[in-house]
Amino acid sequence: MKLTETHYKLIAKLADGQFYSGQQLADELNVSRTSIWNYLKTLEGTGLSLHAVKGKGTRLAVPIELLEADKINVSLSSRSREVLSQLELLTSTDSTNHYLTQKNAQQRLASGSVCVAENQTAGRGRLGRTWVSPYGQNIYISFLWNFKAGLSGLSGLSLACGVAVCNALKSNGLTEHGLKWPNDILWERKKIGGILVEVQGESQGDSTAVIGIGVNYKMSTEASGDIDQPWVDLNRALNGKVPSRNKVVGDLINEILPVLAVYEDTGLPPYVESWNKYDCHKNKKVNIIKAGKSSEFVAKGISASGELKLLNAQGGIEKIMSGEISLRMDD
Ligand code: BTN
């Protein structure tokens, strides 16, 4: 069911994690107690877990910090402000990547258009997977950039953005995180974030990239229900000492926009060394699954053009390109 203004007001009231009685909420929102009960039922469908206690009322099982433009803006660097053309905050959308792509199709957007959403109803992951996107608990952000160099020049863009996301998490106190080729962000071998780059245009002419980033921030176990791989969020990785959600959004913008602004000129090379430092699999045995067949290699980081370098049993280096394979750590 589509959320209404009343749902959003109710979420804003409950965001602090305090108990509110049905009557308090009904008075606040100027609706009946029966309506409040119905609204609360709908909220549970968005991944918000509610905790009701007789005599006390209802609260959010996990308090949330809602997105606020002012709070994001204060954490933006002067470089971000120069390069950002618009920042849109959405309560709910199907996918922030799809939102920017559609909007761009209607009226060409300027490079540096960014949107962040509280909730995605059809969040997209790589390889056609779903990205679980409960309301207010994680970060769902997309960036649009127009390039002249054509699609062929953008193959390493997602890897450069992986470095930028890792840097943003590092500046928020995270350590021991890294990258799994091509651009999964892991912490202690569990997924904490991911990047989906979708490009449109001509192979040698004008092209547009939409770079979507999902970072697990503070997700309830109930809301994570459909995730089919080990995951973690910033809150758990930082032992509950999680920085402000709006600040993390600001820091992602501060790291990503400068990369996009120079990528056409620099390409991937300036990011290769950092990528290899963040590589979770460097010098580790990995199984490469290609067309259903699994082979063992030792991972050797990425090449200047973003291929994964693999040492084979004969001592030779093989290189593979993004999208061809699925990579598993060999335990
Ligand atoms: C992956 O599979 O690892 C990539 C996940 C990318 C998720 C983000 S959330 C914001 C943006 N909108 C989407 O629908 N997907 C990306």
Side-chain angles (χ1 to χ4, degrees), residues 200-263:
Q200 283 187 333
E202 296 160 32
S203 63
Q204 301 303 329
D206 289 349
S207 60
T208 299
V210 173
I211 300 96
I213 296 164
V215 173
N216 297 335
Y217 176 78
K218 192 176 187 185
M219 179 157 47
S220 69
T221 312
E222 292 90 329
S224 75
D226 295 337
I227 303 181
D228 59 359
Q229 59 182 315
W231 66 272
V232 68
D233 58 18
L234 264 182
N235 186 48
R236 288 170 172 90
L238 293 169
N239 278 322
K241 295 197 182 69
V242 72
S244 144
R245 183 167 169 247
N246 286 291
K247 178 183 175 305
V248 180
V249 169
D251 288 336
L252 285 167
I253 297 173
N254 289 338
E255 292 291 340
I256 295 285
L257 281 182
V259 172
L260 298 179
V262 298
Y263 193 81

Side-chain angles (χ1 to χ4, degrees), residues 186-206:
L186 305 186
W187 181 84
E188 294 197 348
R189 297 174 65 175
K190 295 183 271 249
K191 189 144 169 173
I192 197 163
I195 302 173
L196 176 68
V197 176
E198 295 178 300
V199 285
Q200 283 187 333
E202 296 160 32
S203 63
Q204 301 303 329
D206 289 349

Side-chain angles (χ1 to χ4, degrees), residues 95-97 120 123-126 131 141 184 191 194-195 212-214:
S95 147
T96 51
N97 269 27
Q120 297 185 121
R124 313 205 279 230
R126 286 183 61 245
W131 190 256
I141 182 165
D184 280 357
K191 189 144 169 173
I195 302 173
I213 296 164

